[in-house]
Amino acid sequence: NHQPPFPLDLNSTYALMSRSLLCPVMQGDLPWQHRFYDALVTGCVPLLVRYRKRNNNRMCDVWSYSSSSPPCIEDVYPFTAKVNYTEITVQIDESSFRKGSFAEAIYALDRRELEAKRKRLDELRHLFVYDWTSTSYDASSAMIEDLCRVINATASP
């Protein structure tokens, strides 16, 4: 019967995240991570490790994911026509992580820039939340709009 050293229920976890300025989103087995969206929804700026990789003969940024041919950020995350993810995330280059200077890279971040990212995230947070009453523009609305944009772009000659 193993008990975690710091047991937190879901509400306590989200409350802690919403009071935090940065939330690390570490590498997982898929290019998208639930913890990334948890950070966005709680208003906590995601802290990511950035990798530069080649995908389909183009160089692109990849966050917290590595494989022989990882997908580019703009191919994985939603609403890239509306959201510039560099405005609402902090990316630390993988070289800092590999050299063991990750903590120093975090310490060197400009607090004013972090607060500006948090403010921008607050402006965009509705895109990642579902309004079950359907009374506001939310993730469902944005998803439908995005699908229409893609379909129209595909249908156009």
Side-chain angles (χ1 to χ4, degrees):
N1 189 10
H2 176 69
Q3 287 291 333
F6 303 105
L8 289 173
D9 61 37
L10 188 60
N11 290 335
S12 299
T13 301
Y14 282 165
L16 185 59
M17 290 174 75
S18 68
R19 290 192 308 270
S20 300
L21 185 57
L22 285 174
C23 287
V25 179
M26 295 292 103
Q27 179 176 331
D29 57 353
L30 296 170
W32 54 89
Q33 300 296 321
H34 192 275
R35 55 191 161 265
F36 177 74
Y37 295 101
D38 288 342
L40 294 176
V41 167
T42 59
C44 186
V45 176
L47 173 65
L48 308 157
V49 177
R50 180 185 55 231
Y51 301 87
R52 291 288 293 161
K53 298 287 183 176
R54 181 165 296 285
N55 182 298
N56 295 328
N57 295 323
R58 67 181 168 137
M59 290 302 291
C60 64
D61 287 340
V62 178
W63 293 335
S64 300
Y65 181 75
S66 61
S67 75
S68 60
S69 182
C72 299
I73 293 165
E74 60 271 15
D75 297 334
V76 174
Y77 290 98
F79 322 129
T80 53
K82 288 186 180 342
V83 178
N84 177 349
Y85 284 94
T86 59
E87 292 179 352
I88 60 171
T89 62
V90 170
Q91 310 95 42
I92 296 184
D93 193 74
E94 70 172 311
S95 63
S96 294
F97 194 71
R98 293 185 190 281
K99 289 188 293 189
S101 57
F102 193 63
E104 290 85 354
I106 294 170
Y107 186 73
L109 295 171
D110 182 325
R111 180 149 186 111
R112 288 182 304 263
E113 280 184 43
L114 297 176
E115 289 168 355
K117 287 177 183 282
R118 174 103 187 227
K119 183 177 181 198
R120 181 67 178 139
L121 176 54
D122 285 343
E123 294 166 1
L124 296 171
R125 195 160 58 175
H126 66 280
L127 295 173
F128 305 101
V129 176
Y130 292 91
D131 173 11
W132 300 110
T133 65
S134 299
T135 57
S136 66
Y137 188 87
D138 67 346
S140 292
S141 308
M143 196 176 339
I144 290 168
E145 188 175 77
D146 229 22
L147 286 170
C148 290
R149 183 184 55 76
V150 169
I151 289 169
N152 288 337
T154 306
S156 299

